[in-house]
Amino acid sequence: MEQYIIKGGKPLTGEVLISGAKNAALGIIAAAVMTDDIVKIDNLPDVKDIDVLLQAIEGIGAKVERINRHTVRIHGGKINSVFLDNDYLRKIRGSYYLLGALLGKYKSSAVAMPGGCNIGSRPIDQHIKGFEALGATVKIEHGMINAKAEELIGSHIYFDVVSVGATINTMLAASMADGQTILENAAKEPHVVDVANFLNSMGANIKGAGTDVIRIKGVQKLHGSEYSIIPDQIEAGTFMFAAAASKGDVLIKNVIPKHLEAISAKLLEIGAQIEEFDDAIRVKASGRLGHTHVKTLVYPGFPTDMQPQMTAILSVSQGMSIVTESIYENRFKYVDELSRMGASIKVESNTAIIDGVERLTGAIVSAPDLRAGAALVIAGLMAEGYTIIEHVEYIERGYENFENKMQDLGAAMEKIDSEDTKAVRKFKLKVS
Ligand code: EPU
C-alpha cells in the first residue's frame, strides 16, 4: 500500500502549475463519444478517475489515443455497445455521464450504479428526472441504470436540488433531443460551463450555462472539435491553502482567478495575502492565521470540495471557527484523523466547531476520501514532526503528481511503500 510521509514545518515557496479540471474532464470525455468524428482534448489532468473513464469508453469501442499525458484524441465513430460495467467504473462518480451522452446519441444506455467518494448519500433522482422528462424510461436493475427512449423530446425541467451531475447529464442528453429543453435551477459551477462550451464547440446549441437557466436547442448531429479543459479550481484552492497553512509564498499558475474568489475571500479574512494576476494567483502568509465562519454552498459560494482543507487550516488558527457543510451530510469523517494530530474539533450534525490549537503534531492517519486526504496533507505540512497518510489512492484519484508538486515547492514529502520497512528511516535521514 502506498503512503505519504511528510515532515512538517517547512514553508512552501516557488511556483506550481495547476492541471486541468477533473470534474470538467469527466463530462467532456463522455461528451466526446457523442460524435462520430475525431475530438482532440487538451489540458487533461493525469489522474486515476480520468484513466478509468478513458478505459471505459475504449471498452465500448471508442478509439482512444493518448498523444501525451495531457492530450488525448478520441474517436467515438465505432462504438459497439452502450453497456458499461466493471469494478473500476463502479468506484467513480463521473461514469454516469456516459448515461446522458449515450442516451443522447443512441437513445439507449446502461451504466453501472456509480460510486465516488463516500461523503454521504448521493442519490441520482434528479438525473432520472431529467432523462424521464426528455421521454426516456429509466430502470435500476441488477446494479445497472438503464435508460431508453424511442425518441428524446425537449422539455422544461425544474430541478428540485441544484446538482452538478444532474445538470451536466441532462444537458448531454438534451443536446441531441428534438426541440428545445430548458433546465431551471441548474448548477452554475465552472465545470458545467466548460462541458457546455465543449458541446457547443461540437455544434450543440446551449445557452445560459453559468446561470441557473440553461436553454438547449437539440441538434441531430455533433461534429469533431479541439478543446482545452479549464484549470482545476479545487486543485488550485488546495495549493492556495497549503501555501497559507505552511506560512509560505507560492505563485499558483494556470488558474482562472474568478473561479477562486470564494476561496481567496476566506484566505484574506483569516489574514493571508493574495495577489491576483490574469492567470495566476500568489498566496503569502506569515504568523498565526485568524478564525472565521464558513458555510459550503453551490457556486459561487464556498465549495464543499474545499471544506476539509479549510477545516485543516482553521484547526491551528487563533480562536473559534465554525464550518457548516450544506451539500453533503457526511463530509466530516476526517475530523477524527485531525484529532489524532492534536486538533480540537467537535462535530454536531453538519457543523464543525473548531477551537484553534497552537500546533498539530505528526501522526499516522488515514485518508477517508479525496479532498479529506488533501486536507490531511495540509495538516501534515503544518504539523511538528512526521505524518504518515495512508490510502493515498484516494488522493491520486483527483490530484496529479501531488507529492512531486509539493516537493517542487520545498515540502519534505514523499510517497513510500508501506511494505518497504526501510522507507521511513531513509526519508527521515534524508530530511533531517
Ligand atoms: N443530489 C440529489 N439528487 C441527485 C443529485 C444530487 O439529491 O440526483 C444532491 C446530492 O446528494 C448533494 C447535492 O445534490 O447533496 C449536490 O450533488 P451534485 O449532484 O452537485 O454532486 P455530484 O455531481 O455527485 C460533483 C463533483 C463532486 C462535488 C459536487 C458538488 C463530479 C464527478 N463530482 O458531484 O466532486 O463535491 O459535484 O460540487 O463532478 C470531488 O471532486 O472530490 C467531488 C466529490
Side-chain angles (χ1 to χ4, degrees):
M1 204 170 62
E2 291 187 309
Q3 309 175 323
Y4 286 147
I5 181 162
I6 302 172
K7 184 178 184 204
K10 282 184 87 177
L12 300 185
T13 54
E15 296 181 359
V16 62
L17 199 64
I18 296 306
S19 302
K22 167 187 76 100
N23 291 343
L26 291 167
I28 286 173
I29 291 170
V33 301
M34 293 179 74
T35 170
D36 286 342
D37 298 342
I38 291 173
V39 167
K40 188 173 158 207
I41 304 168
D42 204 7
N43 206 30
L44 197 70
D46 187 11
V47 297
K48 185 79 185 142
D49 276 16
I50 298 300
D51 288 341
V52 171
L53 199 62
L54 287 173
Q55 279 161 24
I57 60 167
E58 251 181 330
I60 55 168
K63 193 166 168 224
V64 175
E65 192 190 337
R66 301 291 292 246
I67 297 171
N68 57 48
R69 281 176 53 215
H70 299 121
T71 311
V72 69
R73 208 177 276 134
I74 295 174
H75 185 204
K78 299 234 163 63
I79 289 191
N80 49 41
S81 163
V82 292
F83 184 92
L84 288 119
D85 184 21
N86 69 41
D87 279 353
Y88 282 126
L89 206 57
R90 261 176 256 136
K91 289 192 185 124
I92 72 166
R93 195 92 202 136
S95 55
Y96 59 22
Y97 291 140
L98 287 168
L99 265 179
L102 297 173
L103 179 66
K105 188 179 182 190
Y106 299 110
K107 316 299 172 230
S108 172
S109 54
V111 177
M113 268 303 255
C117 285
N118 182 6
I119 48 185
S121 102
R122 298 180 79 176
I124 55 157
D125 57 302
Q126 298 303 304
H127 302 239
I128 296 174
K129 178 176 178 170
F131 297 151
E132 286 182 343
L134 296 174
T137 307
V138 184
K139 284 192 187 138
I140 300 178
E141 284 171 340
H142 309 294
M144 299 291 293
I145 314 164
N146 299 290
K148 250 190 170 68
E150 288 291 317
E151 51 179 348
L152 291 177
I153 299 174
S155 178
H156 195 139
I157 302 162
Y158 194 101
F159 290 117
D160 304 312
V161 290
V162 181
S163 158
V164 171
T167 303
I168 292 181
N169 233 340
T170 313
M171 192 165 78
L172 287 166
S175 58
M176 291 190 82
D178 274 348
Q180 175 165 262
T181 297
I182 300 175
L183 305 181
E184 298 218 44
N185 203 22
K188 300 188 285 244
E189 269 67 5
H191 32 293
V192 174
V193 180
D194 210 34
V195 178
N197 286 342
F198 173 62
L199 282 164
N200 283 341
S201 80
M202 294 165 77
N205 185 341
I206 303 173
K207 295 206 167 85
T211 74
D212 46 23
V213 184
I214 302 181
R215 288 168 205 276
I216 306 155
K217 279 204 185 113
V219 296
Q220 292 218 313
K221 230 175 146 183
L222 295 169
H223 56 69
S225 162
E226 287 194 10
Y227 195 78
S228 184
I229 295 171
I230 53 164
D232 198 297
Q233 174 204 21
I234 305 301
E235 189 200 3
T238 302
F239 277 100
M240 288 167 75
F241 275 27
S246 70
K247 303 186 177 53
D249 180 354
V250 177
L251 184 67
I252 296 140
K253 291 168 77 172
N254 186 32
V255 302
I256 300 175
K258 173 89 191 137
H259 295 167
L260 301 168
E261 277 173 354
I263 296 162
S264 301
K266 278 295 156 196
L267 278 173
L268 279 170
E269 223 178 285
I270 61 175
Q273 291 168 51
I274 309 273
E275 208 179 332
E276 272 186 24
F277 304 92
D278 286 347
D279 60 357
I281 208 157
R282 183 175 175 191
V283 178
K284 226 165 113 173
S286 54
R288 198 169 172 200
L289 295 167
H291 61 100
T292 188
H293 293 352
V294 187
K295 184 174 182 178
T296 63
L297 290 168
V298 296
Y299 189 82
F302 189 85
T304 172
D305 290 346
M306 285 301 298
Q307 179 262 98
Q309 301 89 314
M310 183 88 228
T311 304
I313 208 170
L314 293 175
S315 71
V316 291
S317 293
Q318 202 148 27
M320 189 77 84
S321 298
I322 296 178
V323 174
T324 306
E325 172 59 55
S326 75
I327 311 291
Y328 294 110
E329 83 259 19
N330 193 12
R331 213 173 189 174
F332 283 119
K333 279 191 298 180
Y334 63 91
V335 162
D336 288 345
E337 306 301 302
L338 285 181
S339 303
R340 225 183 272 281
M341 299 175 73
S344 171
I345 305 173
K346 205 165 130 200
V347 177
E348 277 174 15
S349 77
N350 67 338
T351 301
I353 302 149
I354 306 156
D355 189 5
V357 293
E358 294 260 353
R359 62 180 188 131
L360 296 177
T361 49
I364 299 177
V365 292
S366 173
D369 63 70
L370 165 60
R371 306 303 171 188
L376 292 175
V377 169
I378 292 177
L381 294 173
M382 299 188 293
E384 224 176 81
Y386 297 92
T387 298
I388 289 181
I389 301 168
E390 297 173 338
H391 291 296
V392 301
E393 69 275 13
Y394 286 119
I395 303 173
E396 290 178 339
R397 290 176 62 157
Y399 289 92
E400 178 176 325
N401 271 343
F402 202 37
E403 73 277 14
N404 299 116
K405 289 190 184 185
M406 286 291 181
Q407 281 161 6
D408 288 348
L409 293 173
M413 170 171 170
E414 238 169 56
K415 187 158 76 179
I416 57 168
D417 186 344
S418 61
E419 307 281 301
D420 179 354
T421 49
K422 295 192 187 123
V424 172
R425 216 159 55 94
K426 264 198 242 157
F427 175 80
K428 287 186 177 174
L429 276 174
K430 196 162 122 189
V431 300
S432 62

